[in-house]
Amino acid sequence: MRKDVRILLVGESKVGKTSLIMSLVSEEFPDVVPYRVEEITIPADVTPERVPTHIVDYSEAEQTDEQLFQEISKANVICIVYAVNNKTSIEKVTDHWIPLITENTDKDSRVPLILVGNKSDMVEHSSMETILPIMNQYSEIETCVECSAKNLKNISELFYYAQKAVLHPTGPLYCPEKKD
Ligand code: GTP
Ligand code: MG
C-alpha cells in the first residue's frame, strides 16, 4: 500500500489553479488569491482513499523553470488545468504541458495525467469535443473533468480522481495506440 499521494497542478497563468486548491480546502470560492499557495497536506482520514495527500500549486510568477521541473519529477499525478473559456490554454495542453512533463519524468514510471477544464460556470457548452481527441492521443491521460472553482462544481471529484489515478491506475489496460 502506498504511503502518500502527491498531486501537482500545472497549466497556463490565470486558469484557476490556486482558486481550485483554495476552494477545495475552504469549501468556498476565494475572491482574492495569491499567485501560489503553499503545499497542502490532507490527512488520511479525511481523504476518500484514506491516504495522506499532498497538493502542490505552481505559478510561473513565483517559480523558476528549475523548480517546476523538480516538482514534476516528484509528482505522483499531474493535473493539467485549462480554462474552458480560453482556447489558448487548451492548445497549450498539447503544445507545451504534455511534452514538458514527458521530458521531466522517468521514461519507465508512468505518471498519470488528469485534464482539468476549470471555469465551467463561464460557458454553456462543454469543452469535451475538443478534449476527447487529446484523450485518445495520449495514453498517460487517465481522465478529464470539467469543474468550477467558483461554483464549487466537481472540485472534490477532481481531487478524488487524482488520488484514484495513483492508487488504482487504469492506464495499462487502456492503450489507444493499439486501436486502428
Ligand atoms: P497563476 O497563479 O497566475 O498561474 O494563476 P492561477 O492558475 O493560479 O489562477 P487563479 O486561481 O489566480 O485565478 C485567476 C482568475 O480566475 C482569478 O480572478 C479567479 O478569481 C478566477 N477564477 C478562478 N477559478 C474560476 C472559476 O471557476 N470561475 C470563474 N468565473 N473565475 C475563476
Ligand atoms: Mg496561482
Side-chain angles (χ1 to χ4, degrees), residues 80 90-100 102 110-115 131-143 171 174-177:
I80 306 179
I90 302 182
E91 286 163 4
K92 292 277 187 161
V93 169
T94 47
D95 292 357
H96 179 70
W97 289 105
I98 295 179
L100 187 86
T102 309
R110 176 187 177 276
V111 178
L113 306 179
I114 296 183
L115 296 189
I131 289 307
L132 275 176
I134 306 178
M135 299 270 306
N136 288 329
Q137 194 183 345
Y138 297 93
S139 61
E140 54 272 50
I141 302 176
E142 187 79 18
T143 190
Y174 176 63
C175 296
E177 303 99 309

Side-chain angles (χ1 to χ4, degrees), residues 72-73 75-78 101 105-106 109-113 140-141:
I72 289 174
S73 65
N76 301 126
V77 52
I78 300 176
I101 291 166
T105 45
D106 185 4
S109 70
R110 176 187 177 276
V111 178
L113 306 179
E140 54 272 50
I141 302 176

Side-chain angles (χ1 to χ4, degrees), residues 52-64:
T53 298
H54 311 281
I55 303 178
V56 181
D57 195 6
Y58 163 70
S59 184
E60 192 186 354
E62 291 200 346
Q63 288 175 290
T64 63

Side-chain angles (χ1 to χ4, degrees), residues 8-9 35-37 56-68 71:
L8 173 66
L9 277 74
Y35 280 119
R36 180 168 185 269
V37 284
V56 181
D57 195 6
Y58 163 70
S59 184
E60 192 186 354
E62 291 200 346
Q63 288 175 290
T64 63
D65 285 349
E66 198 46 53
Q67 287 172 314
L68 171 63
E71 286 299 346

Side-chain angles (χ1 to χ4, degrees), residues 153-166:
K153 195 179 157 222
N154 279 345
I155 304 297
S156 49
E157 285 82 354
L158 150 61
F159 291 97
Y160 173 54
Y161 295 155
Q163 220 181 37
K164 219 170 70 143
V166 178

